[in-house]
Amino acid sequence: MVADGTVSAAPIETDAIIIGAGPIGLFAVFELGLVDIKAHVIDILGKPGGQCAELYPEKPIYDIPGLPIVTGQGLTDALMAQIKPFGATFHLGQRVDALQKMDDGRFQVVTDAGTHFLAKMVVIAAGGGSFTPKRPPLAGIEAYEGTSIFYSVRRMDDFKDSDVLVVGGGDSALDWTLNLQPIANNLTLLHRRDDFRGAPHSVEQMRALVRDKKIALLIGQMAALEGNNGALTAVTIKTKDGDVRHPCNRLLPFFGLTMKLGPVANWGLNLQENLVPVDTEKFETSTPGIFAIGDINWYPGKLKLILSGFHEAALMSQAAHRIVYPGKKLLFQYTTSSSSLQKKLGVS
Amino acid sequence: MPRITFIQPDGTEQVVEGQVGATVMETARQHMIEGIEAECGGACACATCHVYVDEAWREKVGGPSEMEEDMLDFAFDVRPVSRLSCQIKVTADLDGLVVRVPEKQF
Ligand SMILES: Cc1cc2nc3c(=O)[nH]c(=O)nc-3n(C[C@H](O)[C@H](O)[C@H](O)COP(=O)(O)OP(=O)(O)OC[C@H]3O[C@@H](n4cnc5c(N)ncnc54)[C@H](O)[C@@H]3O)c2cc1C
Ligand code: FES
């Protein structure tokens, strides 16, 4: 839903919505595609791959059947190539906020960007929940969030003529330092060490701004916040020479992302310890037509493994076919030998 | 078996037995030491297993690798004795190791 509570005028009508572009949401595109179900995929991250791409892109996975070793990013890239023939539409950088059943039996899905969908069925592949920025554990920080403290920049204007403190050592911190410097009244970059993980080119640009005295670079860590009524006035910074009080009225902390269940909790589904219970035949939730696969679901014996999620996607798709094509019989076929499947895959 | 002492921010001490080859994080989780969250399960990808190594043990335990140092950017109140406990392997040499649990994990 957009800020004023309205939704986009013309909904996108589709067979299936997949919530979450992690490895399991991606493979669901494949399995649904084989049974002629077209999907739109939505993820809050700006890229596909879920945990694999966000948390461990360069680390090896050893238990994907048939792939003795593959990195998180490698698996994501391979899945993207594998699902390409099915032409799913991706809506990245959007969080699904609302999911509800309509009177005509279809499901309405609305994102925080106001994109509005109507689908015959929904697959929740939300993994460990939506990726959300990590909140520094500083006393009273909640009071400033959205007024003085931001975890992302939605409107540059919020920082115009402000005294900005950017905290972190990765690409987000560097990029926003470079982008906000021209419009801020003054800008300081704070990092715990004089060594940055971000792209070398951005580090160089940042260093040049420091040399030209256009920004300040501070080495230290945040220790306390000061202000009132949501208006930040200063941050206490621990440095190796002792505590420093740094006046500022905008703070942008970049400490990476963590997974929080998020809106999934508000969709009227049965939940069990933040997981969505499903049956093990169709992987359907307590609401018929809404399926849950991958790390987000629970059933007796559940293992949070990628390979288990792949299996769940295959069985889910059989049930999905009955919803999207009621009365149509589904033939069991192999991709190796079925010319109709190969046609869908674009290999024959 | 090497014994490891975990000291909570309030001073409470817990002495537990670690297994050679396991990590200090795994040892902590096994004994349900509070404050070692280890969200990523030891992949050096979350920084919620942050500990302070006792000054006396600092040299023996050694410093963080480059990858761990990068991940420490995501921890709160990082000090020169900071380590990610999932990156410390328990060895016989570490019998008697003392680590402090930080006040807050991110
Ligand atoms: C360090 C590490 C190592 C691992 N190693 C292995 C391994 O070796 N083998 C193995 O099998 N598994 C491993 N795993 C686990 C594996 O990564 C997960 O099982 C897998 O990522 C689950 O896939 P998923 O698609 O269900 O969910 P995820 O990968 O969690 O993706 C879910 C996606 O849904 C999005 N989302 C959630 N809610 C919303 C919403 N409301 N709106 C929009 N988007 C939303 C999230 O942003 C996320 O991108 C590892 C995990 C970690 C952290
Ligand atoms: S357990 Fe995640 S970094 Fe150690």
Side-chain angles (χ1 to χ4, degrees), chain A residues 205-231:
Chain A
Q205 277 180 286
M206 179 275 290
R207 299 255 186 228
L209 288 174
V210 175
R211 274 196 299 276
D212 297 347
K213 302 212 165 15
K214 294 208 165 116
I215 62 166
L217 173 61
L218 265 177
I219 304 302
Q221 297 175 75
M222 294 188 287
L225 305 171
E226 216 178 288
N228 44 51
N229 295 329

mmCIF file of all heavy atoms in Angstrom, chain A residues 205-231:
data_model
loop_
_atom_site.group_PDB
_atom_site.id
_atom_site.type_symbol
_atom_site.label_atom_id
_atom_site.label_comp_id
_atom_site.label_asym_id
_atom_site.label_seq_id
_atom_site.Cartn_x
_atom_site.Cartn_y
_atom_site.Cartn_z
ATOM 1 N N GLN A 205 36.753 7.574 -3.896
ATOM 2 C CA GLN A 205 35.963 8.813 -3.991
ATOM 3 C C GLN A 205 35.706 9.407 -2.614
ATOM 4 O O GLN A 205 35.761 10.620 -2.426
ATOM 5 C CB GLN A 205 34.620 8.516 -4.660
ATOM 6 C CG GLN A 205 34.690 8.490 -6.167
ATOM 7 C CD GLN A 205 33.321 8.192 -6.748
ATOM 8 O OE1 GLN A 205 32.857 7.061 -6.697
ATOM 9 N NE2 GLN A 205 32.665 9.209 -7.279
ATOM 10 N N MET A 206 35.413 8.526 -1.655
ATOM 11 C CA MET A 206 35.167 8.980 -0.286
ATOM 12 C C MET A 206 36.430 9.646 0.273
ATOM 13 O O MET A 206 36.381 10.728 0.854
ATOM 14 C CB MET A 206 34.733 7.776 0.557
ATOM 15 C CG MET A 206 34.456 8.046 2.022
ATOM 16 S SD MET A 206 35.925 7.989 3.066
ATOM 17 C CE MET A 206 36.290 6.223 3.037
ATOM 18 N N ARG A 207 37.581 8.996 0.069
ATOM 19 C CA ARG A 207 38.849 9.547 0.582
ATOM 20 C C ARG A 207 39.133 10.923 -0.048
ATOM 21 O O ARG A 207 39.640 11.820 0.628
ATOM 22 C CB ARG A 207 40.009 8.598 0.275
ATOM 23 C CG ARG A 207 39.861 7.228 0.903
ATOM 24 C CD ARG A 207 40.761 7.044 2.106
ATOM 25 N NE ARG A 207 40.708 5.683 2.601
ATOM 26 C CZ ARG A 207 40.539 5.358 3.886
ATOM 27 N NH1 ARG A 207 40.409 6.310 4.799
ATOM 28 N NH2 ARG A 207 40.509 4.110 4.270
ATOM 29 N N ALA A 208 38.783 11.063 -1.315
ATOM 30 C CA ALA A 208 39.014 12.350 -1.988
ATOM 31 C C ALA A 208 38.162 13.445 -1.336
ATOM 32 O O ALA A 208 38.641 14.571 -1.124
ATOM 33 C CB ALA A 208 38.694 12.233 -3.474
ATOM 34 N N LEU A 209 36.922 13.113 -0.994
ATOM 35 C CA LEU A 209 36.053 14.098 -0.337
ATOM 36 C C LEU A 209 36.610 14.490 1.031
ATOM 37 O O LEU A 209 36.511 15.637 1.448
ATOM 38 C CB LEU A 209 34.631 13.542 -0.170
ATOM 39 C CG LEU A 209 33.774 13.425 -1.438
ATOM 40 C CD1 LEU A 209 32.453 12.728 -1.122
ATOM 41 C CD2 LEU A 209 33.507 14.799 -2.046
ATOM 42 N N VAL A 210 37.208 13.504 1.706
ATOM 43 C CA VAL A 210 37.802 13.797 3.018
ATOM 44 C C VAL A 210 38.996 14.739 2.828
ATOM 45 O O VAL A 210 39.141 15.741 3.543
ATOM 46 C CB VAL A 210 38.244 12.498 3.739
ATOM 47 C CG1 VAL A 210 38.964 12.810 5.044
ATOM 48 C CG2 VAL A 210 37.037 11.598 4.001
ATOM 49 N N ARG A 211 39.825 14.439 1.825
ATOM 50 C CA ARG A 211 40.999 15.295 1.544
ATOM 51 C C ARG A 211 40.571 16.721 1.227
ATOM 52 O O ARG A 211 41.187 17.686 1.686
ATOM 53 C CB ARG A 211 41.796 14.736 0.359
ATOM 54 C CG ARG A 211 42.810 13.671 0.727
ATOM 55 C CD ARG A 211 43.814 13.452 -0.408
ATOM 56 N NE ARG A 211 43.187 12.995 -1.646
ATOM 57 C CZ ARG A 211 42.898 11.716 -1.913
ATOM 58 N NH1 ARG A 211 43.187 10.772 -1.044
ATOM 59 N NH2 ARG A 211 42.332 11.382 -3.055
ATOM 60 N N ASP A 212 39.480 16.856 0.462
ATOM 61 C CA ASP A 212 38.994 18.191 0.093
ATOM 62 C C ASP A 212 38.169 18.837 1.203
ATOM 63 O O ASP A 212 37.527 19.866 0.980
ATOM 64 C CB ASP A 212 38.138 18.105 -1.183
ATOM 65 C CG ASP A 212 38.949 17.617 -2.374
ATOM 66 O OD1 ASP A 212 40.197 17.600 -2.263
ATOM 67 O OD2 ASP A 212 38.333 17.233 -3.387
ATOM 68 N N LYS A 213 38.106 18.170 2.340
ATOM 69 C CA LYS A 213 37.355 18.674 3.498
ATOM 70 C C LYS A 213 35.865 18.867 3.192
ATOM 71 O O LYS A 213 35.197 19.718 3.773
ATOM 72 C CB LYS A 213 37.968 19.982 4.016
ATOM 73 C CG LYS A 213 39.429 19.845 4.427
ATOM 74 C CD LYS A 213 39.742 20.781 5.571
ATOM 75 C CE LYS A 213 41.030 20.529 6.318
ATOM 76 N NZ LYS A 213 42.026 19.661 5.733
ATOM 77 N N LYS A 214 35.346 18.081 2.275
ATOM 78 C CA LYS A 214 33.909 18.163 1.965
ATOM 79 C C LYS A 214 33.102 17.268 2.900
ATOM 80 O O LYS A 214 31.912 17.490 3.102
ATOM 81 C CB LYS A 214 33.657 17.758 0.511
ATOM 82 C CG LYS A 214 34.284 18.761 -0.469
ATOM 83 C CD LYS A 214 33.512 18.764 -1.767
ATOM 84 C CE LYS A 214 33.837 19.967 -2.612
ATOM 85 N NZ LYS A 214 34.482 19.620 -3.884
ATOM 86 N N ILE A 215 33.737 16.220 3.426
ATOM 87 C CA ILE A 215 33.109 15.399 4.456
ATOM 88 C C ILE A 215 34.152 15.128 5.532
ATOM 89 O O ILE A 215 35.353 15.333 5.316
ATOM 90 C CB ILE A 215 32.592 14.038 3.916
ATOM 91 C CG1 ILE A 215 33.755 13.186 3.381
ATOM 92 C CG2 ILE A 215 31.533 14.217 2.842
ATOM 93 C CD1 ILE A 215 33.389 11.738 3.156
ATOM 94 N N ALA A 216 33.665 14.659 6.687
ATOM 95 C CA ALA A 216 34.594 14.265 7.739
ATOM 96 C C ALA A 216 34.529 12.755 7.897
ATOM 97 O O ALA A 216 33.480 12.146 7.689
ATOM 98 C CB ALA A 216 34.214 14.950 9.043
ATOM 99 N N LEU A 217 35.664 12.154 8.217
ATOM 100 C CA LEU A 217 35.698 10.716 8.493
ATOM 101 C C LEU A 217 36.085 10.534 9.951
ATOM 102 O O LEU A 217 37.109 11.060 10.406
ATOM 103 C CB LEU A 217 36.725 10.029 7.582
ATOM 104 C CG LEU A 217 37.000 8.553 7.874
ATOM 105 C CD1 LEU A 217 35.749 7.712 7.711
ATOM 106 C CD2 LEU A 217 38.102 8.024 6.940
ATOM 107 N N LEU A 218 35.252 9.802 10.682
ATOM 108 C CA LEU A 218 35.523 9.542 12.094
ATOM 109 C C LEU A 218 35.702 8.044 12.295
ATOM 110 O O LEU A 218 34.947 7.256 11.732
ATOM 111 C CB LEU A 218 34.328 9.987 12.939
ATOM 112 C CG LEU A 218 34.333 11.374 13.580
ATOM 113 C CD1 LEU A 218 33.017 11.597 14.308
ATOM 114 C CD2 LEU A 218 35.505 11.500 14.543
ATOM 115 N N ILE A 219 36.711 7.674 13.092
ATOM 116 C CA ILE A 219 36.893 6.266 13.400
ATOM 117 C C ILE A 219 36.434 6.038 14.830
ATOM 118 O O ILE A 219 36.985 6.627 15.770
ATOM 119 C CB ILE A 219 38.372 5.846 13.230
ATOM 120 C CG1 ILE A 219 38.859 6.183 11.813
ATOM 121 C CG2 ILE A 219 38.543 4.357 13.523
ATOM 122 C CD1 ILE A 219 38.077 5.542 10.681
ATOM 123 N N GLY A 220 35.401 5.233 14.984
ATOM 124 C CA GLY A 220 34.859 4.979 16.315
ATOM 125 C C GLY A 220 33.548 4.237 16.211
ATOM 126 O O GLY A 220 33.185 3.747 15.135
ATOM 127 N N GLN A 221 32.836 4.136 17.325
ATOM 128 C CA GLN A 221 31.571 3.414 17.345
ATOM 129 C C GLN A 221 30.532 4.189 18.139
ATOM 130 O O GLN A 221 30.862 4.845 19.127
ATOM 131 C CB GLN A 221 31.760 2.035 17.983
ATOM 132 C CG GLN A 221 32.713 1.149 17.207
ATOM 133 C CD GLN A 221 32.981 -0.163 17.931
ATOM 134 O OE1 GLN A 221 32.148 -1.054 17.955
ATOM 135 N NE2 GLN A 221 34.157 -0.285 18.528
ATOM 136 N N MET A 222 29.271 4.078 17.699
ATOM 137 C CA MET A 222 28.192 4.770 18.395
ATOM 138 C C MET A 222 27.992 4.164 19.789
ATOM 139 O O MET A 222 28.040 2.948 19.946
ATOM 140 C CB MET A 222 26.884 4.617 17.623
ATOM 141 C CG MET A 222 26.893 5.314 16.285
ATOM 142 S SD MET A 222 25.256 5.283 15.553
ATOM 143 C CE MET A 222 25.148 3.559 15.078
ATOM 144 N N ALA A 223 27.746 5.037 20.767
ATOM 145 C CA ALA A 223 27.525 4.537 22.120
ATOM 146 C C ALA A 223 26.190 5.004 22.691
ATOM 147 O O ALA A 223 25.586 4.310 23.506
ATOM 148 C CB ALA A 223 28.671 4.975 23.037
ATOM 149 N N ALA A 224 25.718 6.190 22.289
ATOM 150 C CA ALA A 224 24.452 6.695 22.837
ATOM 151 C C ALA A 224 23.862 7.747 21.911
ATOM 152 O O ALA A 224 24.566 8.354 21.098
ATOM 153 C CB ALA A 224 24.686 7.282 24.226
ATOM 154 N N LEU A 225 22.538 7.937 22.060
ATOM 155 C CA LEU A 225 21.830 8.932 21.260
ATOM 156 C C LEU A 225 21.316 10.031 22.179
ATOM 157 O O LEU A 225 21.016 9.795 23.338
ATOM 158 C CB LEU A 225 20.637 8.286 20.552
ATOM 159 C CG LEU A 225 20.937 7.073 19.673
ATOM 160 C CD1 LEU A 225 19.644 6.406 19.225
ATOM 161 C CD2 LEU A 225 21.771 7.490 18.467
ATOM 162 N N GLU A 226 21.178 11.232 21.609
ATOM 163 C CA GLU A 226 20.712 12.376 22.384
ATOM 164 C C GLU A 226 19.672 13.109 21.538
ATOM 165 O O GLU A 226 19.863 13.269 20.328
ATOM 166 C CB GLU A 226 21.897 13.302 22.580
ATOM 167 C CG GLU A 226 21.968 14.010 23.898
ATOM 168 C CD GLU A 226 23.237 14.855 23.928
ATOM 169 O OE1 GLU A 226 24.342 14.274 24.037
ATOM 170 O OE2 GLU A 226 23.112 16.070 23.786
ATOM 171 N N GLY A 227 18.617 13.581 22.170
ATOM 172 C CA GLY A 227 17.594 14.325 21.436
ATOM 173 C C GLY A 227 16.282 14.275 22.182
ATOM 174 O O GLY A 227 16.215 13.740 23.295
ATOM 175 N N ASN A 228 15.245 14.866 21.584
ATOM 176 C CA ASN A 228 13.933 14.732 22.200
ATOM 177 C C ASN A 228 12.819 14.787 21.166
ATOM 178 O O ASN A 228 12.994 15.336 20.080
ATOM 179 C CB ASN A 228 13.730 15.791 23.296
ATOM 180 C CG ASN A 228 14.201 17.155 22.847
ATOM 181 O OD1 ASN A 228 13.813 17.607 21.776
ATOM 182 N ND2 ASN A 228 15.049 17.793 23.638
ATOM 183 N N ASN A 229 11.677 14.212 21.507
ATOM 184 C CA ASN A 229 10.513 14.155 20.621
ATOM 185 C C ASN A 229 10.851 13.674 19.210
ATOM 186 O O ASN A 229 10.389 14.261 18.231
ATOM 187 C CB ASN A 229 9.834 15.527 20.535
ATOM 188 C CG ASN A 229 9.259 15.947 21.883
ATOM 189 O OD1 ASN A 229 8.860 15.084 22.665
ATOM 190 N ND2 ASN A 229 9.255 17.240 22.143
ATOM 191 N N GLY A 230 11.679 12.671 19.119
ATOM 192 C CA GLY A 230 11.988 12.122 17.800
ATOM 193 C C GLY A 230 13.001 12.940 17.026
ATOM 194 O O GLY A 230 13.333 12.600 15.896
ATOM 195 N N ALA A 231 13.462 14.042 17.599
ATOM 196 C CA ALA A 231 14.464 14.860 16.906
ATOM 197 C C ALA A 231 15.834 14.601 17.516
ATOM 198 O O ALA A 231 16.094 14.954 18.668
ATOM 199 C CB ALA A 231 14.099 16.336 16.998
#
